[in-house]
Amino acid sequence: MKSNPIYKSFLPCIVLLILFSPATIFAQADSTKKILTNFRALNVLSCTGSLGDPIVNITFGKGANYGPPLAAGITNMQYIASQCPNDGQYTIASYSAACFSNNWHIITDHTGDGNGYYMLVNANYTPSDFYVQQVNGLCSGTTYQFSAWAANVHNKPGILPNITFSIEKTDGTVLQSYNTGDIPTNTSTLEWKQYAMYFTLPAGVSSVVIRMKNNAPGGNGNDIALDDITFRAAGPNTKIGVAGDGDSVNVCGSPVALTANIESCYLTNEYQWQVSVNGGGWTDIPNATVPAYTVPVLSPGKYKYRLLVSQAGNIQISTCRVNSNITTVVVVPPAIKQPVNATICSGKSYTLPSGATVSAAGNYSDTVRYAFGCDSLITNLQLSVQSPIFKNLYDTICQGNSYTLPNGTNVSSAGLYRDTVRYVTGCDSLIRTINLFVRPVFTKDSFVVTCYGNAVILPWGQTASKEGVYSDTTRYVGGCDSLIRNIYLHVTVPSRQTIERFVCPNETYRLPSGAIVSTPGFYNDTLRTPIGCDSIITFLTLNPAPPPTIQLSKSNDVNCTLGLSKLTASGGAKYVWSPAESLSNPNISNPVASPATTTVYHVVVTTTLGCFGEDSIAVNVSADLAKNGIQIPNAFTPNGDGLNDCFGVKFLGAVSNLKLSVYDRWGNRVFYTTNPNQCWDGRYKDEEVGSGVFIYHVSATTLCGNIEKKGTVLMIR
């Protein structure tokens, strides 16, 4: 959704009696320097260079969904809370889309504010006034600017909107009017345009009527959006500023002179300076009633100034005066002075507030300034530097032993170790470096294998016959180990196993040595290692195993009424059926079959001893053309209660080539699927669709042939 600020300003042009259309662009003369487009001038005069605060600023509000209807008497249209009002209706909305089969643009507030409301009008069949409002409290003899934004929301060829804006006295006398002509259709995007005019109130008149008339008939087209109707006083071009500093100045505790340049328009000018402090509202400055004003020395803060100008006697009437541009004066706080004593470690640096760094002991002065040059912080630093003392030590240990450093830490690896004592401040005071050497131990490992019952003579003369690790050590003169020889002796002990196995008919059995046997009986087999030791001695008893006795049956053949057939096999412990595509589970003894055509099913049966056999059975499929094998509900309720929450088609048996479509009453397809297991949950483009009657169209190939059906289903919420 969109939003609109409560007050929106339009920028003035230097004209008195002026009407605006899409042909001409005029630049504003005051400090904003913005462009107001869509203007054509008639009777161009001066004294409209500055504008006052809005007297009327009709934005229609902001919020979610829809705004309230207009007050009685403003419009003759019928209010409706809908994105798409019909002929003779209007709405107050912040978003509208896809109206009348996408014949309207997507519509939002012209400022781009997501929650901003606008008035959306679908014109009456006959031309008529569609907006009339009285404005009171105006000043006679004063010039005013009236403006409004309008857009043709139709994106197809049709009747073009044609609007006349009128400013009238309460007795109906027209003071000023302007006709937009036919507002063209933009087929690609919504185009907001501003229409405005200046007028001067006659003597004795303080109230006017704003009237907007749609000159075109309703029907196919003539649909408009209206937003931001503004009424402001207009007067002499008034420019204030600070010499040499433009519209903004920063000061360091000194006065500031503001000057003004004012167009000569009124017989006698009256002035009033105003100030806004730190974002607050505008207040009059006492006794500041001349074109020049000097801002006194003020406390730190942000001050905004403007000058009000009016005909003499009207300065205190907000509807009769104009405002200058705004000049901002920022008063900067005074500088803070601080003495600092600091200590750093040798090799480190100290960062001053300005960002400069120092690393030598001494006295430093540092000043930080605001971006515009005023001092903000003055620091006087007295810096001290603490330096450490260095000491080197050397020592040696045997490999495997540990060394205790001066700080109490135990280490066992060669290297440089640093032990540091620190000042109270944390800086290093004494750094001791320990150069530690480790006398290494060299290890030589050997692996020896022998058969069970044999003995081995080790290199140093020792005899060994049991499996294990045997070691011998040579030492340095200082007592540290220098060489450790390890002999890993492995004794090969033969393993013995007695095996009883079964062999199926026409199968063989492989012994550990690789020999293959197939005849039941008793076998003795020995496997030896590469060095000749016995490794495995096997005693095998081979027994015969019978093949399975298979019994195979089916419950029925398949037709439109019986769409499934249950197969049954027995005689083994494991079953594998093929083809598996139309079976519920190909690895059980009694799967359910749902073939599309007559199919021969094969089963391989394996016994608990591993022997297998196979058999087959045919399931015949016949199409019963008297029935179509399809079920379609005539209503569903997508309310989340688990009952009839989804609309879909049920089939008896296998189905293919499915196409299921659901249409609303305008012919929009709201659901489509080719998946027999998918159904419609009553949503379209992730949004819930309202209750009603919907049209379905389904076609598919079933066990009973090709089917095609059309019908209606009722959705109830």
Side-chain angles (χ1 to χ4, degrees), residues 585-602:
N585 188 337
N587 298 312
I588 60 176
S589 62
N590 55 348
V592 175
S594 58
T597 59
T598 298
T599 303
V600 176
Y601 292 97
H602 299 268

Side-chain angles (χ1 to χ4, degrees), residues 47-66:
C47 294
T48 57
S50 292
L51 297 176
D53 292 332
I55 302 167
V56 173
N57 194 27
I58 302 170
T59 67
F60 301 104
K62 63 179 180 179
N65 297 321
Y66 303 99

Side-chain angles (χ1 to χ4, degrees), residues 31-32 93 122 125 135 160 189 191 195 232 315 317 356 361 377 386 437 484 506-507 590-591 629 680:
S31 62
T32 59
N122 193 330
Y125 284 107
V135 178
L160 298 178
T189 185
E191 183 178 7
Y195 300 91
R232 305 173 75 175
I315 196 65
I317 305 174
L377 178 64
Q386 293 182 331
F437 299 92
I484 299 175
N506 300 321
E507 290 186 353
N590 55 348
W680 182 41

Side-chain angles (χ1 to χ4, degrees), residues 314-361:
N314 292 339
I315 196 65
Q316 294 302 320
I317 305 174
S318 62
T319 60
C320 303
R321 66 194 184 193
V322 296
N323 312 326
S324 71
N325 59 300
I326 296 173
T327 291
T328 302
V329 177
V330 178
V331 180
V332 182
I336 299 173
K337 297 183 179 180
Q338 61 177 10
V340 176
N341 294 317
T343 300
I344 61 172
C345 302
S346 178
K348 302 295 183 181
S349 62
Y350 183 89
T351 302
L352 294 164
S354 65
T357 58
V358 293
S359 57

Side-chain angles (χ1 to χ4, degrees), residues 392-394 405 413-418 432-437:
N392 290 326
L393 301 174
Y394 299 87
L405 299 173
S413 301
L416 296 177
Y417 295 92
R418 178 167 289 182
R432 291 174 291 196
T433 302
I434 309 298
N435 296 273
L436 184 62
F437 299 92

Side-chain angles (χ1 to χ4, degrees), residues 180-459:
T180 64
D182 291 340
I183 300 177
T185 298
N186 189 324
T187 59
S188 60
T189 185
L190 182 71
E191 183 178 7
W192 283 96
K193 292 184 180 180
Q194 187 185 32
Y195 300 91
M197 58 187 168
Y198 288 87
F199 64 94
T200 301
L201 280 183
V205 176
S206 61
S207 298
V208 297
V209 174
I210 303 170
R211 185 180 305 277
M212 301 181 196
K213 180 180 180 181
N214 195 335
N215 301 307
N220 181 23
N222 196 11
D223 307 310
I224 59 174
L226 184 69
D227 200 4
D228 295 312
I229 303 169
T230 305
F231 227 93
R232 305 173 75 175
N237 185 23
T238 303
K239 172 71 174 179
I240 67 170
V242 180
D245 289 299
D247 291 336
S248 179
V249 64
N250 301 293
V251 296
C252 311
S254 61
V256 178
L258 302 180
T259 60
N261 184 10
I262 305 163
E263 183 183 10
S264 178
C265 292
Y266 299 132
L267 293 177
T268 304
N269 290 348
E270 188 174 5
Y271 308 100
Q272 176 64 58
W273 287 89
Q274 288 188 329
V275 63
S276 168
V277 182
N278 295 324
W282 291 103
T283 59
D284 291 347
I285 302 174
N287 302 318
T289 57
V290 295
Y293 177 71
T294 299
V295 179
V297 177
L298 300 171
S299 58
K302 187 174 184 180
Y303 300 82
K304 292 184 177 182
Y305 293 90
R306 70 179 184 180
L307 177 62
L308 308 182
V309 182
S310 74
Q311 173 66 36
N314 292 339
I315 196 65
Q316 294 302 320
I317 305 174
S318 62
T319 60
C320 303
R321 66 194 184 193
V322 296
N323 312 326
S324 71
N325 59 300
I326 296 173
T327 291
T328 302
V329 177
V330 178
V331 180
V332 182
I336 299 173
K337 297 183 179 180
Q338 61 177 10
V340 176
N341 294 317
T343 300
I344 61 172
C345 302
S346 178
K348 302 295 183 181
S349 62
Y350 183 89
T351 302
L352 294 164
S354 65
T357 58
V358 293
S359 57
N363 295 323
Y364 299 90
S365 180
D366 180 71
T367 301
V368 178
R369 290 180 171 84
Y370 295 107
F372 39 83
C374 298
D375 292 345
S376 61
L377 178 64
I378 301 174
T379 302
N380 294 315
L381 169 67
Q382 184 175 354
L383 184 65
S384 301
V385 179
Q386 293 182 331
S387 301
I389 300 172
F390 294 89
K391 185 177 181 179
N392 290 326
L393 301 174
Y394 299 87
D395 214 334
T396 302
I397 61 172
C398 298
Q399 183 174 318
N401 293 346
S402 63
Y403 181 85
T404 303
L405 299 173
N407 63 4
T409 302
N410 292 322
V411 296
S412 57
S413 301
L416 296 177
Y417 295 92
R418 178 167 289 182
D419 175 59
T420 303
V421 179
R422 291 180 171 83
Y423 293 106
V424 177
T425 60
C427 297
D428 297 342
S429 63
L430 174 62
I431 300 176
R432 291 174 291 196
T433 302
I434 309 298
N435 296 273
L436 184 62
F437 299 92
V438 177
R439 287 184 174 176
V441 177
F442 299 98
T443 301
K444 183 178 180 181
D445 294 332
S446 301
F447 298 87
V448 177
V449 179
T450 187
C451 298
Y452 179 77
N454 294 346
V456 175
I457 299 176
L458 302 176

Side-chain angles (χ1 to χ4, degrees), residues 119 254 266 309 443 472 551 581 589 611 643 676 700:
M119 181 179 181
S254 61
Y266 299 132
V309 182
T443 301
D472 178 67
Q551 294 183 349
E581 289 75 12
S589 62
C611 298
L643 301 174

Side-chain angles (χ1 to χ4, degrees), residues 526-555:
T526 301
L527 180 65
R528 287 180 171 79
T529 65
I531 64 172
C533 301
D534 293 344
S535 60
I536 300 177
I537 300 174
T538 302
F539 304 96
L540 171 66
T541 301
L542 196 61
N543 299 315
T549 301
I550 303 174
Q551 294 183 349
L552 187 61
S553 64
K554 63 182 179 182
S555 62

